[in-house]
Amino acid sequence: MSTDARRRVAALRAEIARHDYRYYVLDDPQIPDAEYDRLMAELKALESAHPELITPDSPTQRVAGAPSAAFGEVVHAVPMLSLENGFTDEDVVAFDRRARERLGVTEPLWYWAEPKLDGLAMTAIFRDGSFVQAATRGDGVRGEDVTANLRAIRAFPLRLRGNAPRLLEVRGEVFMPIEGFERINREALARGEKTFVNPRNAAAGSLRQLDPAVTASRPLRVYCYGLGALEGWVPPPLQSEVLGALKAWGLPICPHAERVHGVAGCIDYYRAMAERRARLTYQIDGVVFKVERLEYQSRLGFIARAPRWALARKFPAEEALTRVEAIEWQVGRTGAVTPVARLTPKFVGGVTVSNVTLHNFDEVRRKDVRVGDTVVIRRAGDVIPELVRVLPERRPQGALPVQRPERCPVCGSEVLKPEGEAVARCTGGFSCAAQRQEAIRHFASRLAMDIEGLGEKLVAQLVEGGAVRSPADLYTLSVEQLQTLERMGKKSAENLRRAIERSKHTTLPRLLYALGIREVGEATALALARHFGELEPLIEAACSHPERVEEVADVGPVVAAHLHAFFSAPAHRELIGALRASGVTWEPFAPSTAELPLKGQTFVLTGTLPSMTREQAQAALGALGAKVSGSVSRKTRYVIAGADPGSKLEKAKALGIPVLDEAGLRQLLAAHPRR
Ligand code: D41
C-alpha cells in the first residue's frame, strides 16, 4: 500500500471536514461548492483504488450499506428529559422565582437563552472523537437507532476536532431550514408527489427513513444544545461554556443563543426573538431558558420528566381552527367590494381574531369558503390574519357556495366586476356613503374642480358632520357653516367660500374628470370632451349607444361599461342636475379647428413604465390624436419602452424606429400641451 495514498486520503478528509466545519458550524464557507465536490471526487477515487483505507468516519461513508428493514432500539444511558412549557411572562417570572427560592439565591440568576427549534430531538455518541451512534428521543427512556441516518447528514460531523473525550454524548435538534423545506416541496410537487405540511414534519420524515440515501438528499441541519453520558471529561461550570466546548469540537450550535441576566433578560430575549422570528432561516416555536451554572442545575434536579432549571417559553400558536359565521361584503373608499368572513372569535398568534378579509370573490371561490365551514386561520407575527383553508370534511350539510352581490350592500347601486379583474366595485360613487368622502375629495382636487384649500381633512369633517352628502352640497355651504369647522377662522372660511365659488366656472374635461367615473382619468376625460363637445351627447351615447363611446380614441369596452353604469344611475343624473342648479357651468368643448398635434402618428408601447400605467400613456397619446398600436411596423413613429420590454423593442431597433423611455414620452407630451 502506498504511503502517498494514505497521506493524500488523510489530507483530503481533513480538508473536507474543515470545509464542513466552516460551512455548518462557523457559517463562513471558504470554497465554492464545485471545489468541494472536486475534493470529494478525488477522495472517492483514491478510496476505491485503496479500499483498505476506508474508515467508517470517512466523509464518503455518509451513505453506506443497504436500507434496513426497521430501526433498532436504543436505551438512553441518561434519560432524555422534556421541557416545561410557559405561555406568559408571568410563567417566566414564576419559574425564575421558584429556581431562586430553591437555591436560596436572592440576586438575579444568569440564564442561557436559545431559540426553541421546531424539529426533532436526537442524541449522538462520539467515542474517542468518532461518531458511533445516534438515536431519536422516543419516550425519553428508549428511542430509535438512527445512526445511519445521522451519519448521512452532512451538517453533522463524523469526527470531532481537537482533543475529544473518551465518550461524549451530545443532544440536539434535527431540523430543516425553511428554504430547504420549500425547495423539497417544490421538487415533490413537480414529480407529482405528496408535500410536507411544515418543516418539522419534513425533518421527522427525512430522519426516520429506512434508506439513509433519502436522508442524505434532504437539507437537514442539527444544532446541539446539551449533554448526555460522558467519560474522560469534566464539563466546565457554565452552560455557555459547555456549548463553547461543543462548538470547538466542531459540533454545530445555534448562533442565536446568548447569556441573559435575570428574569428581565429572559423576557427581553423572548421579545427580541419573537420580533426576529419571521426573518430567521429556520422555524422556532418559542425560546428556552436554562440556568447557566451547572452546579445550580444539579441542585435543582428535575420533577416528573422535566428539569427544574429549564423553561420553554412558547410563542402563541399561529394557527387555529374556528368557524365561519357569516360572509359579508365591505365597501372601501374607492368602491371596491371586498368579502369578509366573520368568525367565531379565536385567540391565535397572540390576538383574538374575529374576522378575516377574503380579498375578492375569486379568492372566495378558490378556497371555496362557505358559511358554517370550519376553517384554519393563521396569524404570524404582526402579519394580518388570514384564512388558510377550509376543512371540507367538517362542512355542515346544505352549506351553499357564496354568491357575489349584484347590489352594493351600502347604497344598493349596481356592483360591477370587469372581465379579467379580481375586484368588484360599487358603481354608486357619491351616492354611496362608503365612497362619499373619497369621491368628494377627488371632486375638489386640483386637476378636477380645483377648490383651493379644500383638502382631505376638511372634506372628512364636512362629510362626517353631515353638511355635505354630495358634491353639489359644497356649493350651498355658507361662510358661517364653514367657520364651525376645526381651526377655521373667519378669514379662512371666506377664502374657502371664494374658492368654491370660483370653481363653479369650469371646463367639460375637468367636470368629467371630477365626477370620478372609474378609469376616466384626465386624458380620457379630455378625449371624451373633445369627441362629444358637450355633456348631453356623451350621456346619451353612454346610456343608449355604448358603441359610439368606443369610437373615441383609446376608449375600449371597459371604459364604455363604466360610463354606461355611471350615467345610467339616477343618483348621478340628479347630481348633474343639482350641480347645474347650484350654478356650476362648463364651457362646451369647442372642437379645435387645428389638427391634433400627433394626428396620423402611430405609437407602440412595450414593457412597464416606472410611473405611468399603460392606460394612462395610451390615453395621453390618444388625447393628442396619436394612434396606439399593438405591433411594430415601418409606419411606427415611436416605440415607448419600459422595464422588461418584449420583442417589440428588438423589432423597433431592427427597423431603426426611435425608442423613448417614460421621460422621453413625458417630454413629448409636454411639448404639446392639451387645453
Ligand atoms: O431547540 C430545542 N427544541 C430544544 C429542546 C432546546 N433548545 N433545548 C432543549 N433542552 C432540553 C433539556 C433542557 C431537557 C436538555 C430541548 C429539549 N430538552 C427537548 N427537546 C425535546 C424534548 C426535550
Side-chain angles (χ1 to χ4, degrees):
M1 180 202 318
S2 102
T3 28
D4 278 358
R6 181 180 295 278
R7 252 193 237 122
R8 184 64 189 147
V9 161
L12 284 167
R13 285 178 190 164
E15 190 166 359
I16 289 166
R18 189 156 50 79
H19 291 309
D20 283 339
Y21 173 69
R22 291 204 64 112
Y23 191 94
Y24 293 109
V25 180
L26 301 185
D27 190 21
D28 181 21
Q30 229 182 358
I31 54 164
D33 288 354
E35 177 59 14
Y36 182 94
D37 295 345
R38 198 198 59 74
L39 296 172
M40 201 63 146
E42 188 187 343
L43 178 61
K44 272 191 191 140
L46 268 173
E47 285 181 349
S48 64
H50 305 275
E52 70 282 4
L53 295 180
I54 299 175
T55 56
D57 62 8
S58 168
T60 60
Q61 301 306 298
R62 285 197 177 272
V63 179
S68 55
F71 295 110
E73 189 188 87
V74 170
V75 176
H76 303 304
V78 177
M80 292 182 78
L81 300 176
S82 58
L83 281 168
E84 186 195 325
N85 287 327
F87 298 95
T88 62
D89 288 349
E90 289 72 52
D91 292 344
V92 181
V93 170
F95 158 74
D96 169 70
R97 191 187 318 112
R98 281 196 308 269
R100 283 184 299 116
E101 274 172 13
R102 244 174 200 278
L103 293 168
V105 173
T106 46
E107 67 269 23
L109 290 172
W110 283 96
Y111 288 96
W112 180 248
E114 59 198 9
K116 183 169 185 299
L117 296 154
D118 206 1
L120 116 140
M122 65 91 205
T123 186
I125 297 174
F126 289 84
R127 280 190 196 280
D128 297 319
S130 278
F131 169 71
V132 292
Q133 188 180 57
T136 61
R137 177 172 177 277
D139 62 5
V141 176
R142 55 197 83 217
E144 286 172 324
D145 185 334
V146 287
T147 308
N149 298 336
L150 209 71
R151 190 192 297 286
I153 302 175
R154 224 178 97 182
F156 198 69
L158 298 174
R159 270 212 66 81
L160 298 180
R161 303 163 62 86
N163 260 336
R166 198 158 60 244
L167 175 79
L168 175 71
E169 182 175 6
V170 286
R171 280 157 184 192
E173 198 84 357
V174 177
F175 64 99
M176 189 178 288
I178 294 163
E179 199 190 84
F181 160 74
E182 287 171 347
R183 193 187 73 226
I184 64 163
N185 265 359
R186 266 199 311 277
E187 290 167 359
L189 216 55
R191 288 191 303 264
E193 289 168 13
K194 263 193 74 175
T195 54
F196 290 107
V197 248
N198 56 41
R200 208 203 93 76
N201 286 12
S206 302
L207 186 68
R208 298 188 66 263
Q209 277 287 338
L210 292 168
D211 182 359
V214 177
T215 310
S217 73
R218 302 281 170 80
L220 294 174
R221 292 293 199 101
V222 181
Y223 283 151
C224 298
Y225 55 68
L227 300 173
L230 297 174
E231 279 171 33
W233 184 53
V234 178
L238 302 179
Q239 183 79 16
S240 53
E241 293 166 343
V242 169
L243 295 198
L246 296 183
K247 182 167 175 177
W249 280 322
L251 290 159
I253 303 299
C254 177
H256 300 112
E258 61 187 71
R259 256 161 74 86
V260 298
H261 193 55
V263 72
C266 290
I267 290 171
D268 285 351
Y269 181 84
Y270 169 82
R271 292 217 197 306
M273 286 313 291
E275 197 269 321
R276 284 183 79 163
R277 184 183 188 189
R279 298 190 303 276
L280 293 177
T281 54
Y282 49 88
Q283 231 176 33
I284 64 177
D285 61 346
V287 297
V288 186
F289 305 119
K290 298 175 182 176
V291 172
E292 256 276 75
R293 195 161 285 284
L294 267 57
E295 185 224 328
Y296 288 169
Q297 292 184 2
S298 57
R299 274 168 58 192
L300 286 165
F302 52 90
I303 23 164
R305 274 139 154 246
R308 286 199 191 88
W309 47 267
L311 180 77
R313 165 72 160 101
K314 305 271 286 225
F315 292 132
E318 292 187 333
E319 287 190 356
L321 290 183
T322 187
R323 215 180 69 96
V324 176
E325 304 200 324
I327 291 173
E328 288 172 8
W329 298 84
Q330 263 177 6
V331 188
R333 281 162 58 95
T334 59
V337 179
T338 310
V340 177
R342 304 271 173 232
L343 308 167
T344 308
K346 187 83 183 189
F347 193 74
V348 58
V351 298
T352 300
V353 174
S354 45
N355 44 63
V356 290
T357 175
L358 297 168
H359 304 292
N360 57 57
F361 184 66
D362 293 345
E363 180 89 349
V364 175
R365 276 294 157 87
R366 198 173 58 74
K367 288 184 171 161
D368 191 21
V369 187
R370 303 184 188 187
V371 175
D373 271 342
T374 298
V375 292
V376 178
I377 53 168
R378 178 179 175 81
R379 184 198 179 256
D382 293 331
V383 182
I384 295 166
E386 56 170 341
L387 192 153
V388 182
R389 65 195 158 88
V390 168
L391 301 184
E393 65 277 14
R394 298 224 204 155
R395 171 167 291 162
Q397 267 192 352
L400 296 175
V402 172
Q403 298 299 320
R404 187 165 69 79
E406 281 166 19
R407 300 260 147 210
C408 171
V410 175
C411 70
S413 301
E414 197 181 348
V415 170
L416 279 186
K417 181 175 164 294
E419 198 71 39
E421 263 181 50
V423 180
R425 283 178 200 276
C426 163
T427 54
F430 308 112
S431 48
C432 180
Q435 300 166 69
R436 196 165 284 151
Q437 188 174 314
E438 175 60 19
I440 291 170
R441 188 205 58 75
H442 170 79
F443 181 85
S445 66
R446 197 171 55 80
L447 299 172
M449 300 299 276
D450 193 18
I451 305 179
E452 210 184 317
L454 187 57
E456 177 143 10
K457 292 211 177 86
L458 286 180
V459 171
Q461 285 185 60
L462 287 167
V463 172
E464 279 160 17
V468 172
R469 297 175 57 82
S470 109
D473 295 340
L474 291 171
Y475 296 101
T476 64
L477 292 170
S478 64
V479 173
E480 290 70 38
Q481 258 178 308
L482 290 172
Q483 257 183 277
T484 64
L485 301 177
E486 271 169 46
R487 264 175 305 194
M488 183 63 89
K490 184 152 195 290
K491 188 113 183 106
S492 333
E494 282 170 357
N495 284 342
L496 181 55
R497 182 60 234 160
R498 260 196 300 278
I500 293 173
E501 201 53 38
R502 252 199 323 271
S503 77
K504 281 184 177 173
H505 305 286
T506 189
T507 64
L508 181 56
R510 276 184 180 273
L511 177 83
L512 283 174
Y513 175 63
L515 292 174
I517 305 160
R518 277 219 77 70
E519 306 221 7
V520 177
E522 310 159 64
T524 307
L526 184 71
L528 289 166
R530 184 168 270 141
H531 188 91
F532 290 99
E534 237 304 6
L535 188 58
E536 276 64 36
L538 167 61
I539 296 179
E540 159 75 11
C543 295
S544 325
H545 312 282
E547 72 285 354
R548 277 200 230 147
V549 183
E550 288 184 48
E551 283 167 17
V552 179
D554 300 314
V555 170
V558 173
V559 175
H562 286 306
L563 285 164
H564 175 84
F566 187 90
F567 288 117
S568 312
H572 296 151
R573 310 285 282 270
E574 275 163 36
L575 169 68
I576 289 159
L579 287 171
R580 280 211 160 100
S582 49
V584 176
T585 58
W586 50 91
E587 308 144 25
F589 197 98
S592 127
T593 43
E595 288 272 271
L596 289 174
L598 301 182
K599 193 168 171 75
Q601 302 189 13
T602 304
F603 285 64
V604 172
L605 301 171
T606 180
T608 314
L609 298 177
S611 73
M612 286 173 109
T613 64
R614 170 173 292 266
E615 287 263 331
Q616 284 170 333
Q618 211 162 344
L621 286 165
L624 297 178
K627 209 177 130 227
V628 176
S629 155
S631 58
V632 178
S633 73
R634 282 185 198 287
K635 294 201 193 102
T636 307
R637 179 69 187 83
Y638 285 106
V639 167
I640 314 292
D644 302 322
S647 59
K648 292 175 197 169
L649 180 59
E650 283 158 39
K651 186 149 182 211
K653 283 183 180 154
L655 295 175
I657 289 161
V659 176
L660 298 177
D661 58 4
E662 181 178 313
L665 171 62
R666 286 193 184 276
Q667 257 177 27
L668 187 90
L669 295 173
H672 304 290
R674 299 159 305 184
R675 59 166 285 178

